[in-house]
Each structure stands twice: as structure tokens, then as C-alpha cells.
Amino acid sequence: HMLQGLEVDENPLLNPVHEEEELEIVFEDEWLLVVNKPAGMLSVPGKAEDRDSVYHRLKKKYPDATGPMIVHRLDMATSGLLLVAKTKEVHQHLQAQFASRSIKKRYVAVLDGAIIKTEKETKPIAEKAILLAKETVSTKKTAKAERTGNTGRIELPLCLNPLDRPRQIVSREHGKEAITEYRIISESEKHTRIAFYPLTGRTHQLRVHAAHPEGLGCPILGDELYGKKADRLYLHAEYIEFRHPISGKILRIQKEADF
């Protein structure tokens, strides 16, 4: 009732845009599958079990599947590859791989702007080497972003902002370790195309590491929480690599973004 009379955006959960679309299965065998989640679909339904989600779709398609099925999650606004287990045992095996950080993932994103080079990045090589030597101790404490050429690493601990849910904040006191490596694919004045390689899986990790001043200082295009609204969030999980729990073989699955 407090919003009555105010102009607000429609709740996306009440208008499932992919309800009539078939969920794309990129890989499947007897024990697991990898699906391409579209932007705007939930990974799991949350409190309302009848909400359209990847879990809801797959539970209908595979009624005999055991266990939680969904091994990891993507934000509703993020598209891309989701790993799904058909049995409880396979689910536990895959989750253990995530816990040990042996699963490799790559995301592609378009940033809303150009990444500003810092003073440290633009210094001559010899001077930069001296500067890095002096900063070796302090760098471990501050754990900010480091960039060499087109690649870099961001270490900014994250936790939920209790006063502004669901936004996450950088907190060295309360935050959990969050590490992202990245590679710049292309740059222009308006946009930066970038590949992210998350080494941890914190909520909104890539979105905060991109937008935060101590990270890249450049939000992902279409990020309503940490940047500006667009037709979608330009973030896609395009690659996942893991060991098959039954065969022991390394599987490498890729699905390129449609942007």
C-alpha cells in the first residue's frame, strides 16, 4: 500500500518472460546435464515453489531424479550454463568439486564504459617494478585490483548489505573471500567486452567486482543494482569445465553469448 500511486517497475517474477520457451539442454547423459539458462529466469524457485525456474522445469522433465538437482546458481538476470545432477550422489560429487575450486568457469560481459587505467598501470616498466616491490606487503592487506596489460585479478571480500538487500558490499571486516581474474577482450569509449574467471562463487561477485571503485570501477551494462538499467544484464556464463563424477573424464562445455 505504501507504493500506491507511485510509478514503479513491474515485478519480473510476476511476468515470466520465458514461460512458453523450451529450456535449452547443451549436454546430457544418464547422470547429469548442462542447460543454458536464459536471462530473466530463476535458477531455483525460492519460497514460491510454483514459480517458473530451471529447477521447476527439470523436476517436471525428470520426475525420478533424486537430490537437489541444481548444483550451483546463476542470478536471475544472468544467462548461461548451469550444471544439473540427476542423482543425489552425483550432486554431492559435483558440489565437492565446487568446494575444492577444481571446476573452471568463464563468463563474458559487456561493461558500461571504459576501464580507467590507474597511475600504477601507466608508469614506465622499470618504475613500476620498483613500485610493486615496495607494495608487496601492503597489497596483501588491501587486496584490491591488480592489472597487467589486458589481464588482471580482483580480490575484494563481499557480504550482504543488511540495510539494502539484495545488494552486496565490500567489507574487509565481515566479507568472505572473493577472487576474480579477468581478461579484456576489446575496448571502446562506450563499452568494454571482458572475460571473467571467478575463483570463488560469492553472490553478485562479478557484478560488484566490476562496479566497485577498488575493482574495475565500471559496472556491467544493464546492471540495475550496481549500474544502470538496459534491455538486459550483459553477463553470460559461457564455459564450464569439470570432472565427470562417473567416468572421471574432464568435460568442457561452451555456449557463446547472444550479445
Side-chain angles (χ1 to χ4, degrees):
H1 68 280
M2 294 178 68
L3 298 177
Q4 192 169 0
L6 297 178
E7 186 177 337
V8 296
D9 290 338
E10 185 178 359
N11 185 347
L13 295 175
L14 301 178
N15 183 28
V17 293
H18 302 287
E19 201 166 26
E20 304 301 321
E21 296 178 22
E22 190 77 20
L23 188 62
E24 181 185 3
I25 297 175
V26 182
F27 172 87
E28 182 178 10
D29 64 14
E30 183 180 347
W31 300 281
L32 57 86
L33 62 147
V34 180
V35 302
N36 180 30
K37 186 189 84 67
M41 180 182 286
L42 290 166
S43 298
V44 295
K47 293 181 181 179
E49 288 293 328
D50 59 342
R51 285 265 164 83
D52 188 34
S53 67
V54 174
Y55 173 83
H56 191 243
R57 299 276 189 101
L58 295 180
K59 203 63 179 174
K60 281 186 177 180
K61 188 176 179 68
Y62 305 97
D64 297 328
T66 60
M69 295 191 75
I70 306 296
V71 180
H72 61 116
R73 303 182 186 186
L74 294 175
D75 291 344
M76 181 178 178
T78 304
S79 60
L81 300 178
L82 263 184
L83 186 53
V84 181
K86 293 182 179 180
T87 71
K88 183 179 179 180
E89 294 72 25
V90 168
H91 184 273
Q92 291 174 339
H93 195 293
L94 291 171
Q95 282 219 315
Q97 290 187 53
F98 272 103
S100 65
R101 300 183 184 177
S102 60
I103 290 184
K104 298 178 182 178
K105 295 181 290 179
R106 181 176 72 242
Y107 291 70
V108 66
V110 177
L111 305 185
D112 190 8
I115 300 172
I116 300 173
K117 289 183 171 62
T118 64
E119 183 183 350
K120 187 169 72 173
E121 294 167 33
T122 57
K123 286 178 177 291
I125 294 175
E127 189 178 348
K128 181 180 178 181
I130 296 171
L131 186 60
L132 285 174
K134 289 180 179 178
E135 292 181 350
T136 301
V137 177
S138 62
T139 299
K140 292 181 180 178
K141 293 180 181 178
T142 55
K144 298 180 182 179
E146 296 179 4
R147 176 179 171 186
T148 304
N150 287 333
T151 62
R153 180 182 175 101
I154 304 167
E155 296 185 42
L156 292 172
L158 304 175
C159 66
L160 177 68
N161 183 349
L163 301 177
D164 193 13
R165 296 169 180 266
R167 285 184 173 86
Q168 306 292 310
I169 57 174
V170 172
S171 172
R172 290 179 178 81
E173 183 180 358
H174 303 291
K176 293 183 179 180
E177 180 185 46
I179 306 171
T180 304
E181 294 181 344
Y182 65 89
R183 176 176 58 87
I184 296 171
I185 301 170
S186 62
E187 294 179 280
S188 68
E189 290 184 5
K190 291 186 177 180
H191 299 120
T192 301
R193 193 173 186 87
I194 193 168
F196 286 120
Y197 305 86
L199 303 186
T200 54
R202 306 302 176 200
T203 301
H204 297 177
Q205 177 175 317
L206 302 181
R207 298 166 69 173
V208 178
H209 279 182
H212 198 274
E214 295 179 67
L216 298 178
C218 194
I220 296 173
L221 183 63
D223 192 337
E224 297 184 45
L225 288 178
Y226 308 100
K228 298 176 183 177
K229 185 177 180 179
D231 59 315
R232 64 157 291 176
L233 176 69
Y234 281 74
L235 178 62
H236 176 80
E238 72 169 4
Y239 176 86
I240 189 166
E241 179 181 321
F242 59 96
R243 186 175 297 277
H244 195 287
I246 307 300
S247 69
K249 294 181 179 179
I250 298 295
L251 295 183
R252 300 175 178 88
I253 313 294
Q254 181 167 332
K255 178 67 179 181
E256 293 184 0
D258 58 2
F259 57 78

